[in-house]
Amino acid sequence: MSITNTPTSNDACLSIVHSLMCHRQGGESESFAKRAIESLVKKLKEKKDELDSLITAITTNGAHPSKCVTIQRTLDGRLQVAGRKGFPHVVYARLWRWPDLHKNELKHVKYCQYAFDLKCDNVCVNPYHYERVVSPGIDLSGLTLSGSVPLLVKDEYDYDIHQSYPSSESHLQTIQHPPSRPSPQESFLNPALLPLSEGSGAASTSAFCSISAGPSRPVTNEIAFQPPLSNHPAPEYWCSIAYFEMDVQVGETFKVQSTCPIVTVDGYVDPSGGNRFCLGQLSNVHRTENIERARLHIGKGMQLECKGEGDVWVRCLSDHAVFVQSYYLDREAGRAPGDAVHKIYPSAYIKVFDLSQCHRQMQQQAATAQAASAAQAAAVAGNLPGPGSVGGIAPAISLSAAAGIGVDDLRRLCILRMSFVKGWGPDYPRQSIKETPCWIEIHLHRALQLLDEVLHTMPIADPHPLD
Protein backbone atom coordinates (compact mmCIF):
# COMPACT_ATOMS: atom_id res chain seq x y z
CA MET A 1 0.00 0.00 0.00
CA SER A 2 1.55 3.30 -1.00
CA ILE A 3 1.55 6.22 1.36
CA THR A 4 -0.84 8.16 -0.88
CA ASN A 5 -3.55 5.53 -0.31
CA THR A 6 -3.18 5.30 3.44
CA PRO A 7 -5.62 6.85 5.90
CA THR A 8 -4.80 9.87 8.03
CA SER A 9 -5.64 10.84 11.59
CA ASN A 10 -8.80 12.54 10.26
CA ASP A 11 -10.27 9.22 9.09
CA ALA A 12 -12.52 6.99 11.16
CA CYS A 13 -10.86 4.69 13.67
CA LEU A 14 -12.24 1.64 11.85
CA SER A 15 -10.50 2.47 8.59
CA ILE A 16 -7.21 3.26 10.37
CA VAL A 17 -7.35 -0.02 12.27
CA HIS A 18 -8.11 -1.93 9.06
CA SER A 19 -5.12 -0.35 7.32
CA LEU A 20 -2.73 -1.08 10.21
CA MET A 21 -4.04 -4.67 10.48
CA CYS A 22 -2.86 -5.27 6.92
CA HIS A 23 0.73 -4.77 8.07
CA ARG A 24 0.77 -7.09 11.08
CA GLN A 25 3.33 -9.90 11.02
CA GLY A 26 1.03 -12.76 12.00
CA GLY A 27 2.62 -13.92 15.24
CA GLU A 28 -0.53 -13.12 17.22
CA SER A 29 -4.12 -14.17 16.64
CA GLU A 30 -6.22 -11.80 14.55
CA SER A 31 -8.55 -11.03 17.45
CA PHE A 32 -5.70 -10.07 19.79
CA ALA A 33 -3.99 -7.95 17.12
CA LYS A 34 -7.24 -6.10 16.40
CA ARG A 35 -7.85 -5.39 20.10
CA ALA A 36 -4.29 -4.10 20.56
CA ILE A 37 -4.42 -1.85 17.49
CA GLU A 38 -7.90 -0.50 18.31
CA SER A 39 -6.72 0.34 21.83
CA LEU A 40 -3.71 2.24 20.50
CA VAL A 41 -5.62 4.15 17.81
CA LYS A 42 -8.24 5.30 20.33
CA LYS A 43 -5.55 6.56 22.70
CA LEU A 44 -3.91 8.52 19.86
CA LYS A 45 -7.11 10.00 18.41
CA GLU A 46 -6.57 13.22 20.35
CA LYS A 47 -2.88 13.39 19.32
CA LYS A 48 -3.28 13.61 15.56
CA ASP A 49 0.39 14.25 14.78
CA GLU A 50 1.45 11.12 16.66
CA LEU A 51 -1.28 9.05 15.03
CA ASP A 52 -0.10 10.24 11.63
CA SER A 53 3.47 9.31 12.61
CA LEU A 54 2.29 5.80 13.52
CA ILE A 55 0.42 5.39 10.22
CA THR A 56 3.46 6.62 8.28
CA ALA A 57 5.89 4.35 10.12
CA ILE A 58 3.78 1.20 9.77
CA THR A 59 2.56 1.63 6.20
CA THR A 60 6.03 2.47 4.88
CA ASN A 61 7.81 -0.21 6.96
CA GLY A 62 9.93 2.53 8.53
CA ALA A 63 11.16 3.90 5.22
CA HIS A 64 9.92 7.41 6.10
CA PRO A 65 11.12 9.21 9.26
CA SER A 66 8.53 9.30 12.03
CA LYS A 67 8.11 10.94 15.41
CA CYS A 68 7.57 9.32 18.79
CA VAL A 69 4.18 7.66 19.25
CA THR A 70 3.38 7.79 22.95
CA ILE A 71 0.94 6.40 25.47
CA GLN A 72 0.86 7.00 29.20
CA ARG A 73 3.10 4.77 31.31
CA THR A 74 1.19 2.60 33.78
CA LEU A 75 2.23 2.01 37.38
CA ASP A 76 3.93 -1.31 36.65
CA GLY A 77 5.04 -0.24 33.17
CA ARG A 78 2.89 -2.83 31.42
CA LEU A 79 -0.05 -2.66 29.06
CA GLN A 80 -3.09 -4.93 29.35
CA VAL A 81 -4.81 -6.11 26.18
CA ALA A 82 -7.43 -8.85 26.05
CA GLY A 83 -6.54 -10.07 29.53
CA ARG A 84 -2.80 -10.27 28.80
CA LYS A 85 -0.13 -7.98 30.14
CA GLY A 86 3.08 -6.99 28.41
CA PHE A 87 5.49 -4.11 27.96
CA PRO A 88 3.81 -1.80 25.42
CA HIS A 89 6.83 -1.27 23.14
CA VAL A 90 7.29 -5.05 22.97
CA VAL A 91 3.60 -5.70 22.24
CA TYR A 92 3.57 -3.44 19.17
CA ALA A 93 7.05 -4.40 17.99
CA ARG A 94 5.83 -8.02 17.92
CA LEU A 95 2.69 -7.04 16.03
CA TRP A 96 4.38 -5.08 13.26
CA ARG A 97 8.03 -6.16 13.10
CA TRP A 98 9.24 -9.25 14.97
CA PRO A 99 6.55 -11.79 15.97
CA ASP A 100 9.15 -13.94 17.77
CA LEU A 101 10.61 -11.05 19.75
CA HIS A 102 11.72 -11.60 23.37
CA LYS A 103 11.16 -8.77 25.80
CA ASN A 104 14.89 -8.21 26.51
CA GLU A 105 15.89 -7.86 22.85
CA LEU A 106 14.90 -4.23 22.20
CA LYS A 107 17.16 -1.22 22.23
CA HIS A 108 15.82 2.25 21.43
CA VAL A 109 17.32 4.44 18.71
CA LYS A 110 19.20 7.54 19.84
CA TYR A 111 16.63 10.05 18.61
CA CYS A 112 13.71 8.46 20.51
CA GLN A 113 12.79 10.89 23.30
CA TYR A 114 10.26 8.70 25.13
CA ALA A 115 11.82 5.25 24.90
CA PHE A 116 10.62 2.72 27.47
CA ASP A 117 14.04 2.54 29.15
CA LEU A 118 14.12 6.33 29.71
CA LYS A 119 11.40 5.99 32.39
CA CYS A 120 9.38 9.00 31.18
CA ASP A 121 5.73 9.50 32.05
CA ASN A 122 4.89 8.65 28.45
CA VAL A 123 6.23 5.62 26.56
CA CYS A 124 7.04 5.55 22.85
CA VAL A 125 5.54 2.50 21.11
CA ASN A 126 6.69 3.34 17.59
CA PRO A 127 8.16 -0.02 16.46
CA TYR A 128 10.65 1.80 14.22
CA HIS A 129 12.12 3.68 17.18
CA TYR A 130 13.58 0.40 18.44
CA GLU A 131 16.21 -1.98 17.16
CA ARG A 132 16.40 -5.68 17.85
CA VAL A 133 19.54 -6.86 19.62
CA VAL A 134 19.85 -10.65 19.65
CA SER A 135 22.49 -12.17 21.88
CA PRO A 136 24.42 -15.10 20.32
CA GLY A 137 24.32 -16.97 23.61
CA ILE A 138 22.56 -16.39 26.92
CA ASP A 139 22.01 -12.87 28.17
CA LEU A 140 22.66 -12.95 31.91
CA SER A 141 23.14 -9.21 32.29
CA GLY A 142 19.82 -8.74 34.06
CA LEU A 143 20.25 -11.55 36.54
CA THR A 144 21.68 -11.34 40.03
CA LEU A 145 23.54 -14.41 41.21
CA SER A 146 24.01 -15.40 44.82
CA GLY A 147 24.50 -18.62 46.69
CA SER A 148 21.01 -18.66 48.16
CA VAL A 149 18.87 -17.57 45.18
CA PRO A 150 18.23 -20.12 42.41
CA LEU A 151 18.88 -18.98 38.84
CA LEU A 152 15.62 -18.78 36.95
CA VAL A 153 15.89 -19.63 33.28
CA LYS A 154 12.30 -18.86 32.35
CA ASP A 155 12.05 -18.20 28.60
CA GLU A 156 8.40 -17.83 27.75
CA TYR A 157 7.05 -16.27 24.59
CA ASP A 158 4.06 -15.00 26.52
CA TYR A 159 3.62 -11.67 28.18
CA ASP A 160 4.45 -11.26 31.85
CA ILE A 161 1.45 -12.58 33.74
CA HIS A 162 1.71 -12.91 37.51
CA GLN A 163 2.12 -16.63 38.21
CA SER A 164 2.61 -18.59 41.40
CA TYR A 165 5.74 -20.67 40.94
CA PRO A 166 6.30 -24.07 42.52
CA SER A 167 8.86 -24.29 45.27
CA SER A 168 12.47 -24.30 44.10
CA GLU A 169 13.15 -27.05 46.60
CA SER A 170 11.95 -29.59 44.02
CA HIS A 171 14.71 -31.98 42.90
CA LEU A 172 14.11 -31.16 39.23
CA GLN A 173 16.49 -28.64 37.70
CA THR A 174 16.63 -26.88 34.32
CA ILE A 175 20.02 -27.20 32.61
CA GLN A 176 20.77 -24.84 29.74
CA HIS A 177 22.35 -25.84 26.42
CA PRO A 178 23.17 -22.75 24.33
CA PRO A 179 24.28 -22.99 20.68
CA SER A 180 28.00 -23.28 20.01
CA ARG A 181 29.87 -21.30 17.42
CA PRO A 182 31.26 -23.99 15.07
CA SER A 183 29.02 -25.51 12.41
CA PRO A 184 27.00 -28.57 13.43
CA GLN A 185 28.50 -30.65 10.61
CA GLU A 186 31.88 -30.65 12.35
CA SER A 187 30.48 -32.40 15.40
CA PHE A 188 30.63 -35.76 13.64
CA LEU A 189 34.42 -35.55 13.73
CA ASN A 190 34.71 -34.72 17.41
CA PRO A 191 36.09 -37.64 19.48
CA ALA A 192 34.81 -36.01 22.68
CA LEU A 193 31.26 -36.83 21.56
CA LEU A 194 31.78 -40.59 21.09
CA PRO A 195 29.88 -42.89 23.50
CA LEU A 196 31.31 -42.65 27.00
CA SER A 197 33.52 -45.45 28.25
CA GLU A 198 32.61 -47.40 31.36
CA GLY A 199 35.13 -45.55 33.47
CA SER A 200 34.25 -42.04 32.38
CA GLY A 201 33.77 -39.49 35.13
CA ALA A 202 31.52 -36.48 35.47
CA ALA A 203 31.06 -34.53 32.27
CA SER A 204 32.34 -31.00 31.84
CA THR A 205 30.30 -28.16 30.43
CA SER A 206 31.92 -28.59 27.02
CA ALA A 207 29.87 -31.77 26.63
CA PHE A 208 26.74 -29.64 26.33
CA CYS A 209 27.88 -27.86 23.17
CA SER A 210 27.66 -29.41 19.76
CA ILE A 211 31.46 -29.36 19.43
CA SER A 212 34.51 -28.71 21.57
CA ALA A 213 38.17 -28.49 20.72
CA GLY A 214 39.68 -31.96 20.50
CA PRO A 215 42.61 -33.79 18.90
CA SER A 216 43.06 -33.09 15.22
CA ARG A 217 43.36 -36.73 14.17
CA PRO A 218 40.34 -37.96 12.19
CA VAL A 219 38.09 -40.38 14.07
CA THR A 220 35.36 -40.97 11.47
CA ASN A 221 36.58 -44.53 10.90
CA GLU A 222 36.32 -45.32 14.60
CA ILE A 223 32.61 -44.56 14.41
CA ALA A 224 32.12 -46.43 11.16
CA PHE A 225 33.81 -49.65 12.35
CA GLN A 226 32.16 -49.95 15.75
CA PRO A 227 30.54 -53.40 15.86
CA PRO A 228 26.73 -53.36 16.12
CA LEU A 229 25.19 -53.98 19.52
CA SER A 230 22.87 -56.58 17.99
CA ASN A 231 22.96 -58.89 14.98
CA HIS A 232 19.24 -58.41 14.44
CA PRO A 233 18.39 -56.35 11.32
CA ALA A 234 17.54 -52.72 11.97
CA PRO A 235 13.81 -52.06 12.42
CA GLU A 236 11.80 -50.68 9.50
CA TYR A 237 11.18 -47.46 11.44
CA TRP A 238 13.91 -45.91 13.57
CA CYS A 239 11.46 -43.90 15.69
CA SER A 240 7.79 -43.11 16.22
CA ILE A 241 6.59 -39.67 17.38
CA ALA A 242 3.40 -38.97 19.29
CA TYR A 243 2.17 -35.37 19.67
CA PHE A 244 0.42 -34.25 22.86
CA GLU A 245 -1.42 -31.17 24.07
CA MET A 246 -1.31 -31.23 27.85
CA ASP A 247 -2.08 -34.89 28.70
CA VAL A 248 -4.03 -35.73 25.52
CA GLN A 249 -2.50 -37.24 22.38
CA VAL A 250 -3.56 -35.37 19.25
CA GLY A 251 -3.48 -37.08 15.87
CA GLU A 252 -1.93 -40.41 14.99
CA THR A 253 1.57 -41.52 15.92
CA PHE A 254 4.03 -40.56 13.18
CA LYS A 255 6.56 -43.24 12.21
CA VAL A 256 9.91 -42.41 10.60
CA GLN A 257 11.45 -44.98 8.28
CA SER A 258 15.05 -46.01 8.80
CA THR A 259 15.79 -44.76 5.28
CA CYS A 260 15.08 -41.20 6.58
CA PRO A 261 17.71 -40.57 9.29
CA ILE A 262 16.66 -36.91 9.67
CA VAL A 263 13.09 -35.92 10.51
CA THR A 264 11.71 -32.41 11.03
CA VAL A 265 8.88 -31.71 13.48
CA ASP A 266 7.44 -28.23 12.87
CA GLY A 267 4.33 -26.14 13.41
CA TYR A 268 3.32 -25.67 9.79
CA VAL A 269 0.19 -26.94 8.06
CA ASP A 270 1.68 -28.91 5.16
CA PRO A 271 0.71 -32.58 4.93
CA SER A 272 2.95 -34.81 7.04
CA GLY A 273 4.92 -37.56 5.38
CA GLY A 274 8.35 -39.03 4.82
CA ASN A 275 10.81 -37.00 6.87
CA ARG A 276 8.47 -34.23 8.05
CA PHE A 277 5.83 -34.19 10.78
CA CYS A 278 3.71 -31.01 10.59
CA LEU A 279 1.82 -30.27 13.79
CA GLY A 280 -0.05 -27.24 12.47
CA GLN A 281 -2.55 -29.33 10.52
CA LEU A 282 -3.61 -31.42 13.54
CA SER A 283 -7.02 -30.50 14.99
CA ASN A 284 -8.23 -30.85 18.56
CA VAL A 285 -11.77 -29.91 19.57
CA HIS A 286 -10.63 -29.43 23.19
CA ARG A 287 -7.77 -27.05 22.30
CA THR A 288 -7.61 -24.00 24.58
CA GLU A 289 -6.52 -20.47 23.74
CA ASN A 290 -3.24 -20.98 25.64
CA ILE A 291 -2.44 -24.06 23.59
CA GLU A 292 -3.35 -22.23 20.38
CA ARG A 293 -1.01 -19.38 21.27
CA ALA A 294 1.85 -21.75 22.06
CA ARG A 295 1.36 -23.61 18.77
CA LEU A 296 1.78 -20.33 16.87
CA HIS A 297 5.35 -20.19 18.17
CA ILE A 298 6.50 -23.69 17.24
CA GLY A 299 7.52 -22.34 13.85
CA LYS A 300 10.35 -24.32 12.24
CA GLY A 301 10.39 -26.62 15.27
CA MET A 302 13.25 -29.09 15.55
CA GLN A 303 15.17 -31.73 13.66
CA LEU A 304 15.86 -35.20 15.02
CA GLU A 305 18.81 -37.01 13.50
CA CYS A 306 19.65 -40.70 13.90
CA LYS A 307 23.37 -41.41 13.65
CA GLY A 308 25.16 -44.73 13.51
CA GLU A 309 23.19 -47.62 14.95
CA GLY A 310 20.82 -45.46 16.97
CA ASP A 311 22.35 -42.35 18.56
CA VAL A 312 20.05 -39.32 18.36
CA TRP A 313 20.89 -35.63 17.95
CA VAL A 314 18.54 -32.64 18.10
CA ARG A 315 18.82 -29.35 16.24
CA CYS A 316 16.54 -26.55 17.47
CA LEU A 317 15.24 -24.71 14.37
CA SER A 318 12.60 -22.72 16.23
CA ASP A 319 13.02 -19.14 17.42
CA HIS A 320 12.17 -20.44 20.89
CA ALA A 321 13.90 -23.00 23.04
CA VAL A 322 12.78 -26.61 23.24
CA PHE A 323 12.91 -28.56 26.50
CA VAL A 324 14.12 -32.15 26.63
CA GLN A 325 13.87 -35.04 29.06
CA SER A 326 16.99 -37.08 28.28
CA TYR A 327 18.71 -39.65 30.50
CA TYR A 328 21.85 -39.28 28.38
CA LEU A 329 22.05 -35.54 29.10
CA ASP A 330 21.27 -36.23 32.76
CA ARG A 331 24.35 -38.44 32.95
CA GLU A 332 26.46 -35.92 31.04
CA ALA A 333 25.45 -33.31 33.62
CA GLY A 334 26.28 -35.65 36.48
CA ARG A 335 22.63 -35.96 37.50
CA ALA A 336 20.48 -38.98 38.30
CA PRO A 337 18.18 -40.17 35.47
CA GLY A 338 15.05 -38.05 35.31
CA ASP A 339 16.58 -35.45 37.63
CA ALA A 340 16.73 -32.53 35.17
CA VAL A 341 15.01 -30.78 32.28
CA HIS A 342 17.35 -29.67 29.51
CA LYS A 343 16.72 -26.38 27.73
CA ILE A 344 17.98 -26.45 24.12
CA TYR A 345 18.37 -22.95 22.76
CA PRO A 346 17.61 -21.88 19.17
CA SER A 347 20.32 -23.00 16.69
CA ALA A 348 21.82 -25.44 19.21
CA TYR A 349 22.73 -28.91 17.92
CA ILE A 350 23.19 -31.48 20.63
CA LYS A 351 23.30 -35.21 21.27
CA VAL A 352 20.36 -36.35 23.40
CA PHE A 353 20.56 -40.16 23.18
CA ASP A 354 23.43 -42.66 23.15
CA LEU A 355 22.46 -46.21 22.19
CA SER A 356 25.54 -47.88 23.71
CA GLN A 357 25.02 -46.15 27.04
CA CYS A 358 21.32 -47.02 27.00
CA HIS A 359 22.13 -50.67 26.24
CA ARG A 360 24.60 -50.89 29.13
CA GLN A 361 22.12 -49.21 31.46
CA MET A 362 19.24 -51.54 30.59
CA GLN A 363 21.50 -54.60 30.99
CA GLN A 364 22.69 -53.41 34.39
CA GLN A 365 19.21 -52.52 35.63
CA ALA A 366 17.67 -55.77 34.37
CA ALA A 367 20.46 -57.82 35.98
CA THR A 368 20.13 -55.88 39.24
CA ALA A 369 16.36 -56.31 39.30
CA GLN A 370 16.58 -60.03 38.57
CA ALA A 371 19.23 -60.61 41.23
CA ALA A 372 17.33 -58.51 43.77
CA SER A 373 14.11 -60.40 43.16
CA ALA A 374 15.85 -63.73 43.66
CA ALA A 375 17.64 -62.49 46.79
CA GLN A 376 14.43 -61.01 48.18
CA ALA A 377 12.60 -64.29 47.70
CA ALA A 378 15.41 -66.13 49.47
CA ALA A 379 15.42 -63.57 52.30
CA VAL A 380 11.68 -63.88 52.86
CA ALA A 381 12.14 -67.66 53.05
CA GLY A 382 14.87 -67.14 55.65
CA ASN A 383 17.58 -68.62 53.45
CA LEU A 384 19.78 -65.55 53.15
CA PRO A 385 22.35 -65.44 56.01
CA GLY A 386 24.28 -62.31 56.81
CA PRO A 387 24.93 -59.65 59.44
CA GLY A 388 21.83 -57.83 60.59
CA SER A 389 19.54 -60.55 59.32
CA VAL A 390 16.53 -61.28 61.51
CA GLY A 391 14.59 -64.02 59.83
CA GLY A 392 15.40 -62.46 56.48
CA ILE A 393 13.21 -59.38 57.10
CA ALA A 394 15.90 -56.66 57.05
CA PRO A 395 17.52 -57.85 53.80
CA ALA A 396 14.10 -58.12 52.19
CA ILE A 397 13.34 -54.49 52.99
CA SER A 398 16.71 -53.25 51.67
CA LEU A 399 16.32 -55.20 48.42
CA SER A 400 12.73 -54.17 47.73
CA ALA A 401 13.67 -50.99 45.86
CA ALA A 402 15.98 -52.83 43.46
CA ALA A 403 13.45 -55.61 42.97
CA GLY A 404 10.80 -53.02 42.11
CA ILE A 405 12.39 -52.20 38.74
CA GLY A 406 9.88 -53.20 36.07
CA VAL A 407 9.73 -53.44 32.30
CA ASP A 408 8.28 -49.94 31.98
CA ASP A 409 11.19 -48.54 34.00
CA LEU A 410 13.49 -49.96 31.32
CA ARG A 411 11.27 -48.73 28.49
CA ARG A 412 11.70 -45.18 29.79
CA LEU A 413 15.37 -45.47 28.84
CA CYS A 414 14.28 -45.80 25.18
CA ILE A 415 11.99 -42.75 25.14
CA LEU A 416 12.66 -39.03 24.68
CA ARG A 417 10.18 -36.31 25.63
CA MET A 418 10.41 -32.75 24.29
CA SER A 419 8.20 -29.71 24.75
CA PHE A 420 7.98 -26.69 22.45
CA VAL A 421 8.19 -23.10 23.71
CA LYS A 422 7.17 -23.87 27.31
CA GLY A 423 9.36 -25.52 29.94
CA TRP A 424 8.48 -27.35 33.13
CA GLY A 425 10.04 -27.87 36.53
CA PRO A 426 10.75 -25.52 39.45
CA ASP A 427 11.71 -22.62 37.15
CA TYR A 428 8.29 -22.63 35.46
CA PRO A 429 4.60 -22.66 36.44
CA ARG A 430 4.33 -26.26 35.19
CA GLN A 431 5.67 -29.15 37.24
CA SER A 432 5.24 -31.88 34.61
CA ILE A 433 5.63 -32.08 30.84
CA LYS A 434 1.97 -33.13 30.77
CA GLU A 435 1.12 -29.57 31.85
CA THR A 436 2.88 -28.02 28.84
CA PRO A 437 0.69 -26.96 25.90
CA CYS A 438 2.48 -28.87 23.12
CA TRP A 439 5.04 -31.66 23.37
CA ILE A 440 6.15 -34.85 21.70
CA GLU A 441 7.15 -38.31 22.89
CA ILE A 442 9.70 -40.18 20.76
CA HIS A 443 10.01 -43.96 20.96
CA LEU A 444 13.39 -45.17 19.67
CA HIS A 445 12.85 -48.51 17.96
CA ARG A 446 16.42 -49.82 17.87
CA ALA A 447 16.72 -49.25 21.61
CA LEU A 448 13.37 -50.99 22.19
CA GLN A 449 14.61 -53.86 20.01
CA LEU A 450 17.70 -54.21 22.20
CA LEU A 451 15.52 -54.07 25.32
CA ASP A 452 13.45 -56.94 23.95
CA GLU A 453 16.63 -59.01 23.62
CA VAL A 454 17.71 -58.13 27.16
CA LEU A 455 14.30 -59.11 28.56
CA HIS A 456 14.40 -62.44 26.74
CA THR A 457 17.65 -63.30 28.52
CA MET A 458 16.70 -61.75 31.88
CA PRO A 459 12.89 -61.69 32.30
CA ILE A 460 11.72 -59.48 35.16
CA ALA A 461 8.40 -58.45 36.66
CA ASP A 462 6.59 -55.25 35.72
CA PRO A 463 5.24 -53.59 38.88
CA HIS A 464 5.20 -50.00 37.64
CA PRO A 465 3.00 -48.66 34.78
CA LEU A 466 4.55 -46.13 32.41
CA ASP A 467 3.43 -42.55 33.08
Side-chain angles (χ1 to χ4, degrees):
M1 183 182 291
S2 67
I3 192 167
T4 55
N5 295 328
T6 57
T8 69
S9 57
N10 293 320
D11 290 307
C13 285
L14 187 62
S15 98
I16 298 173
V17 170
H18 176 75
S19 174
L20 296 178
M21 281 285 288
C22 294
H23 294 268
R24 67 190 182 92
Q25 294 300 305
E28 296 289 355
S29 66
E30 183 175 354
S31 60
F32 177 85
K34 188 174 181 181
R35 292 277 294 275
I37 294 172
E38 283 177 345
S39 171
L40 180 58
V41 170
K42 289 177 181 178
K43 289 174 182 175
L44 297 175
K45 205 55 178 156
E46 301 303 318
K47 298 188 283 187
K48 294 185 179 297
D49 57 335
E50 294 188 18
L51 182 53
D52 283 328
S53 287
L54 175 69
I55 296 169
T56 298
I58 301 307
T59 57
T60 65
N61 295 323
H64 290 240
S66 55
K67 301 176 182 178
C68 285
V69 177
T70 62
I71 61 175
Q72 189 171 2
R73 180 186 292 270
T74 59
L75 289 176
D76 65 356
R78 297 181 300 170
L79 173 73
Q80 181 163 330
V81 177
R84 292 161 57 187
K85 275 191 154 187
F87 297 114
H89 62 312
V90 177
V91 171
Y92 293 106
R94 281 174 176 156
L95 275 181
W96 284 309
R97 296 195 70 181
W98 306 287
D100 59 343
L101 180 72
H102 293 184
K103 63 186 178 184
N104 60 345
E105 292 180 345
L106 284 183
K107 178 182 177 182
H108 65 271
V109 294
K110 293 181 179 178
Y111 52 81
C112 182
Q113 299 177 345
Y114 297 95
F116 181 83
D117 292 339
L118 298 181
K119 309 293 185 184
C120 301
D121 291 338
N122 291 325
V123 178
C124 178
V125 295
N126 186 336
Y128 293 94
H129 277 205
Y130 295 89
E131 296 172 345
R132 187 175 188 179
V133 182
V134 182
S135 170
I138 311 171
D139 180 12
L140 299 179
S141 59
L143 298 176
T144 303
L145 302 178
S146 70
S148 59
V149 180
L151 172 63
L152 295 185
V153 292
K154 182 168 173 282
D155 182 21
E156 310 281 63
Y157 76 86
D158 213 348
Y159 301 113
D160 293 19
I161 301 173
H162 290 296
Q163 308 256 20
S164 58
Y165 289 87
S167 169
S168 59
E169 295 175 358
S170 166
H171 74 284
L172 203 63
Q173 176 184 343
T174 306
I175 298 175
Q176 304 180 63
H177 302 268
S180 56
R181 292 183 180 275
S183 65
Q185 288 75 12
E186 296 174 22
S187 60
F188 195 67
L189 301 178
N190 182 13
L193 298 176
L194 293 175
L196 296 174
S197 63
E198 291 289 346
S200 62
S204 66
T205 32
S206 63
F208 300 142
C209 297
S210 61
I211 183 171
S212 60
S216 58
R217 61 184 180 87
V219 294
T220 311
N221 290 339
E222 294 180 19
I223 299 174
F225 293 125
Q226 283 183 345
L229 297 173
S230 169
N231 293 324
H232 278 76
E236 180 182 1
Y237 302 97
W238 72 265
C239 79
S240 55
I241 307 170
Y243 169 65
F244 293 83
E245 292 176 359
M246 308 295 279
D247 59 351
V248 177
Q249 181 174 348
V250 177
E252 297 182 359
T253 299
F254 183 80
K255 295 183 178 180
V256 185
Q257 292 189 331
S258 295
T259 53
C260 297
I262 299 178
V263 60
T264 301
V265 184
D266 60 43
Y268 299 125
V269 295
D270 300 319
S272 298
N275 62 349
R276 188 176 176 200
F277 186 19
C278 296
L279 306 179
Q281 45 91 27
L282 299 177
S283 60
N284 177 11
V285 294
H286 302 295
R287 184 171 292 152
T288 65
E289 184 181 349
N290 285 338
I291 294 174
E292 191 65 65
R293 285 210 308 268
R295 281 168 52 85
L296 289 173
H297 294 267
I298 295 175
K300 296 179 181 178
M302 68 175 79
Q303 269 186 353
L304 299 167
E305 181 175 1
C306 182
K307 287 189 176 184
E309 192 178 354
D311 295 351
V312 179
W313 292 65
V314 168
R315 178 183 285 109
C316 180
L317 303 177
S318 175
D319 293 324
H320 300 273
V322 296
F323 299 82
V324 182
Q325 188 178 69
S326 161
Y327 290 170
Y328 169 76
L329 289 179
D330 290 343
R331 173 172 167 166
E332 291 291 280
R335 304 299 295 264
D339 203 27
V341 177
H342 301 268
K343 181 179 180 181
I344 313 299
Y345 278 80
S347 301
Y349 179 74
I350 187 170
K351 185 176 184 178
V352 294
F353 181 81
D354 185 291
L355 186 66
S356 296
Q357 182 197 100
C358 177
H359 189 228
R360 289 194 301 269
Q361 201 168 353
M362 65 176 66
Q363 285 178 318
Q364 292 166 0
Q365 288 194 19
T368 300
Q370 188 184 46
S373 293
Q376 188 179 38
V380 171
N383 298 328
L384 186 66
S389 174
V390 182
I393 295 175
I397 294 173
S398 63
L399 289 167
S400 61
I405 297 174
V407 174
D408 280 334
D409 294 295
L410 299 178
R411 287 185 66 239
R412 288 186 182 93
L413 301 175
C414 311
I415 295 172
L416 295 169
R417 286 175 165 181
M418 305 184 187
S419 69
F420 296 95
V421 184
K422 298 286 190 177
W424 75 96
D427 301 327
Y428 300 92
R430 298 157 294 277
Q431 300 184 49
S432 162
I433 193 172
K434 292 184 178 181
E435 297 173 29
T436 61
C438 39
W439 59 280
I440 56 175
E441 183 172 88
I442 303 133
H443 291 240
L444 304 172
H445 292 189
R446 185 59 166 174
L448 290 167
Q449 191 180 51
L450 295 179
L451 176 58
D452 190 54
E453 292 181 16
V454 169
L455 294 177
H456 273 88
T457 58
M458 291 181 286
I460 61 175
D462 187 14
H464 300 304
L466 185 66
D467 288 337

